[in-house]
Amino acid sequence: AQSVAQPEDQVNVAEGNPLTVKCTYSVSGNPYLFWYVQYPNRGLQFLLKYITGDNLVKGSYGFEAEFNKSQTSFHLKKPSALVSDSALYFCAVRVPWGGSQGNLIFGKGTKLSVKP
Amino acid sequence: ETGVTQSPTHLIKTRGQQVTLRCSSQSGHNTVSWYQQALGQGPQFIFQYYREEENGRGNFPPRFSGLQFPNYSSELNVNALELDDSALYLCASSPGTGGGDTQYFGPGTRLTVL
């Protein structure tokens, strides 16, 4: 079965330090990968996606993610964290075939806390 | 450009009742997907509508049903509400059903079932 794992429930980072939020996936074939951010009592905001091509993807608000096929990972990174980055981050995978092509499969989320 | 909007923002119902949630898709988008996000969990796919037809369904019972209208707005209907239906319901629109098409989410409807 297809699945997404975010192994850390929470990541704590000091402002100005680099941050990494981890994501691994288990699907057959080549998936499409996404990162979303959710602020309290809000919907999900799209950050970036990997479809094909360069393994390093750049997205909104200075975030980037690296696709690693051999490790089946898609970790989210940012060189210098801001307090305003504190939120809940979701990794998602889409399998572009089968009977439910619209299906985004989400991880459980990682809470990022950036301290001043 | 108007983003995805959902109504109502909050809703309180009792067990056994029926509820209808509404979603307006982003301009230019013809595909709407619905997700249920329980507290502390990632969103779970309910179903997707493309050009007024259901285009895929997750593991939800038939009492979860939907509609899409000619202007691509959509409704989610839930019959015979259960306590476990309490969740944030998210609607997402996209320009198509392609695997690489980004889904843009609305702010959600918080449903509480008492």
Side-chain angles (χ1 to χ4, degrees):
Chain A
Q2 294 104 2
S3 64
V4 174
Q6 293 181 242
E8 302 154 319
D9 290 335
Q10 182 156 344
V11 171
N12 298 311
V13 177
E15 188 174 31
N17 282 1
L19 70 86
T20 299
V21 182
K22 296 179 180 178
C23 172
T24 60
Y25 63 90
S26 175
V27 299
S28 303
N30 298 319
Y32 299 142
L33 296 157
F34 300 78
W35 275 101
Y36 286 86
V37 60
Q38 186 175 38
Y39 294 95
N41 300 313
R42 301 280 294 278
L44 276 67
Q45 294 181 26
F46 169 71
L47 283 178
L48 51 79
K49 66 181 177 183
Y50 173 82
I51 304 302
T52 187
D54 194 348
N55 289 343
L56 185 64
V57 179
K58 294 189 183 295
S60 305
Y61 313 118
F63 284 94
E64 57 189 28
E66 186 167 12
F67 171 64
N68 188 317
K69 188 172 182 178
S70 62
Q71 296 186 4
T72 62
S73 67
F74 189 55
H75 300 331
L76 182 70
K77 301 181 180 184
K78 187 174 182 181
S80 179
L82 299 172
V83 172
S84 58
D85 292 331
S86 298
L88 190 56
Y89 289 80
F90 288 97
C91 179
V93 64
R94 175 188 267 157
V95 180
W97 56 83
S100 202
Q101 294 184 14
N103 189 5
L104 275 173
I105 302 168
F106 284 87
K108 289 187 175 181
T110 298
K111 182 179 179 181
L112 174 66
S113 178
V114 182
K115 301 295 186 185
Chain B
E1 183 179 281
T2 305
V4 180
T5 60
Q6 292 186 243
S7 62
T9 306
H10 296 89
L11 206 51
I12 300 175
K13 293 285 188 178
T14 57
R15 275 186 302 173
Q17 286 189 310
Q18 178 266 341
V19 68
T20 297
L21 310 181
R22 295 178 175 83
C23 170
S24 292
S25 60
Q26 187 169 316
S27 176
H29 289 185
N30 58 20
T31 304
V32 172
S33 304
W34 286 91
Y35 292 82
Q36 180 195 66
Q37 185 180 15
L39 201 60
Q41 300 296 318
Q44 298 285 320
F45 175 69
I46 303 175
F47 43 57
Q48 182 184 76
Y49 278 83
Y50 170 65
R51 293 187 175 180
E52 303 179 59
E53 297 287 334
E54 188 177 289
N55 186 50
R57 189 179 184 93
N59 190 26
F60 280 81
R63 58 190 186 85
F64 285 79
S65 63
L67 282 173
Q68 187 178 32
F69 301 98
N71 66 354
Y72 304 127
S73 65
S74 177
E75 286 183 354
L76 164 65
N77 299 290
V78 187
N79 293 322
L81 284 167
E82 300 177 359
L83 295 179
D84 285 348
D85 295 334
S86 295
L88 181 68
Y89 288 84
L90 296 164
C91 162
S93 75
S94 53
T97 60
D101 286 325
T102 300
Q103 295 186 5
Y104 294 91
F105 284 79
T109 294
R110 173 74 62 186
L111 173 64
T112 302
V113 182
L114 302 176

